[in-house]
Amino acid sequence: MKHYILALDQGTTSSRAILFDHDGHVAHCVAQEFPQHFPQPGWVEHDADDIWSSQLAVAQAVLRDAHVRPEQVRAIGIANQRETTVLWERATGRPVAPAIVWQDRRTADHCDALRAAGHADFIRERTGLELDAYFSATKLAWLLDHVPGARERAERGELCFGTVDSWLAYRLCGAHVTDVSNASRTMLFNIHLMRWDADLLALFRIPDALLPDVVSSSGEIGATHADLFGAPIPVAGIAGDQQAATFGQACHRAGMVKNTYGTGCFMLMHAGAQPAVSHQRLLSTVGWRVHTGECYLLEGSVFMGGATVQWLRDGLGIIKASSDVEPLAASVPDSGGVMLVPAFVGLGAPHWDPYARGTIVGLTRGSTAAHIARAAVEAIAYQSAELLGAMQRDAAQPVVEVRADGGAARNDLLMQFQADLLGVPVLRPRVTETTALGAAYLAGLAVRFWASEEEIAAQWQCERRFEPAMPEGRRAELLARWSRAVERAKSWEAPL
């Protein structure tokens, strides 16, 4: 009887379930989009029940469609959109409010007040994070202050807080847990002591009764309720999506770098067994904890990657499907001088400007939809080039290659332009579902489906290598032009 690992890849715009065999190959995949809610400018919400129902539906469908029985699934691994904040009733499992998504900027003023009070350095020292509305702490504080009765109920232990991994684990098997990688994204977790930080909880007025137990990224936390799949299946791996992708890309040694091109773009470098200190406003975050110990990563975050292409589709209507963007962008030799800065929800690293807004500059009477599409694709690469530049300045050694994954990594035009801007090769693996694959590997290690990280690394294969071909002078010219465009987008919605 053939056995598999089931990976649940719960993303910002869709839920996916993927079965992996022992060779790390995709046996079957099912995906389902779910609704996005934008109740006010800068607000982004999900219905937590939509997250759960869509994730359960695809998990059940992938087993059904692949004719795989639950006893053939050795374990389940979870990878999840990070920082998104869910608050639910402990007794019933019902959410008490919409989930506040990582992109949401409603708490920017709270962050401003904390910064003005001098707390930014303290927060960075304890958590490795920049003081920003991106992370969970101010989102949770907002819910406690704005949902009627929430703070009192939280203090009585009636409510649970969690990021999406916690929410799924609770619904799957009743465990209120999070792993070290997700905990490190809440701005409440001390990455040096590897535990919730009492001083941070006091600063953000978070009752500790709300918090999940922190567990390793690889290890059994429980078994699914029997009625979900027809028999219990162990849940044995959890990691935030970007940490999972880094693990799935076999970036297991210090200095290795991957970049994920998903809803956002996330570049991570393996920093070794100790937290890295960034002087470029990058994040120091926990990568994962396995039986051999934990590792740390250096991370740069871009808020709008593939979501920029979705905006072309849903907002402007100039493409019918996201896959249409590559032929449209390739129909012109360049962007015609158009620059699109997709700061729709502010700018992430290295700028950290919650008040920046989307900007298009360089338009002329000759500008067409194709030029805008080209500028949108190139914007993804420009933002990632900024991250690698910051990472190179922080790192002790030069980056020699970048491993790419995520949906937009299938765009050859983007990958070549990215290599040109970075000045280093971009490698696309045969299996681009590396977020799900990383979750599968973490779960599989826990149940000995795979014996070691070395066995996992041996499975990584390059499908295509994109070599930089742009002259250095042209690269410098384009990056300077991009910087000018970014300056025009910054602080647009800043309080006067």
Side-chain angles (χ1 to χ4, degrees), residues 38 116 445:
F38 311 99
L445 279 175

Side-chain angles (χ1 to χ4, degrees), residues 312 318-319 325-336 338 366-378 413:
L312 296 181
I318 63 174
I319 54 175
V325 74
E326 184 173 6
L328 179 60
S331 69
V332 290
D334 54 45
S335 69
V338 176
S367 300
T368 67
H371 292 109
I372 293 173
R374 179 90 179 208
V377 170
E378 292 182 351
L413 177 68

Side-chain angles (χ1 to χ4, degrees), residues 452-492:
S452 66
E453 292 180 41
E454 290 73 23
E455 181 184 0
I456 288 168
Q459 293 185 347
W460 191 92
Q461 292 179 302
C462 181
E463 179 265 326
R464 182 168 174 182
R465 182 183 179 97
F466 295 85
E467 293 284 352
M470 183 179 288
E472 179 59 38
R474 178 59 174 164
R475 178 187 306 133
E477 177 188 339
L478 289 176
L479 289 171
R481 187 176 177 87
W482 169 256
S483 294
R484 289 170 57 204
V486 169
E487 288 304 313
R488 284 155 174 78
K490 283 184 172 180
S491 302
W492 186 260

Side-chain angles (χ1 to χ4, degrees), residues 209-386:
L210 276 174
L211 301 175
D213 293 331
V214 181
V215 299
S216 293
S217 309
S218 180
E220 292 191 45
I221 64 163
T224 61
H225 301 302
D227 60 329
L228 297 179
F229 303 109
I233 301 173
V235 178
I238 299 175
D241 51 11
Q242 301 315 315
Q243 288 96 328
T246 309
F247 197 82
Q249 283 276 34
C251 292
H252 301 159
R253 300 190 314 275
M256 298 183 74
V257 177
K258 73 88 194 172
N259 196 29
T260 295
Y261 299 83
T263 300
C265 294
F266 302 89
M267 186 175 288
L268 285 83
M269 172 189 282
H270 193 303
Q274 299 296 324
V277 177
S278 174
H279 302 285
Q280 305 295 323
R281 305 192 74 189
L282 300 177
L283 308 177
S284 184
T285 196
V286 180
W288 50 80
R289 179 193 282 159
V290 296
H291 69 282
T292 54
E294 61 254 354
C295 81
Y296 293 85
L297 305 173
L298 199 60
E299 175 176 338
S301 311
V302 167
F303 296 156
M304 294 289 293
T308 309
V309 176
Q310 291 178 325
W311 175 72
L312 296 181
R313 181 193 69 190
D314 302 335
L316 291 190
I318 63 174
I319 54 175
K320 291 184 177 179
S322 294
S323 57
D324 295 338
V325 74
E326 184 173 6
L328 179 60
S331 69
V332 290
D334 54 45
S335 69
V338 176
M339 287 274 180
L340 190 161
V341 182
F344 299 98
V345 292
L347 289 170
H351 307 286
W352 296 109
D353 183 351
Y355 301 111
R357 288 296 179 267
T359 306
I360 302 178
V361 296
L363 291 171
T364 69
R365 285 288 298 273
S367 300
T368 67
H371 292 109
I372 293 173
R374 179 90 179 208
V377 170
E378 292 182 351
I380 299 171
Y382 280 121
Q383 293 175 100
S384 295
E386 286 187 302

Side-chain angles (χ1 to χ4, degrees), residues 122-128 180 183-184 188-200 214-215 273-275 284 286 289 294 296:
F122 159 69
I123 290 171
R124 187 184 303 109
E125 288 164 5
R126 295 285 179 95
T127 69
V180 292
S184 75
L188 299 170
F189 189 74
N190 189 314
I191 64 170
H192 306 279
L193 301 178
M194 299 296 284
R195 66 186 185 216
W196 299 119
D197 191 288
D199 295 330
L200 290 168
V214 181
V215 299
Q274 299 296 324
S284 184
V286 180
R289 179 193 282 159
E294 61 254 354
Y296 293 85

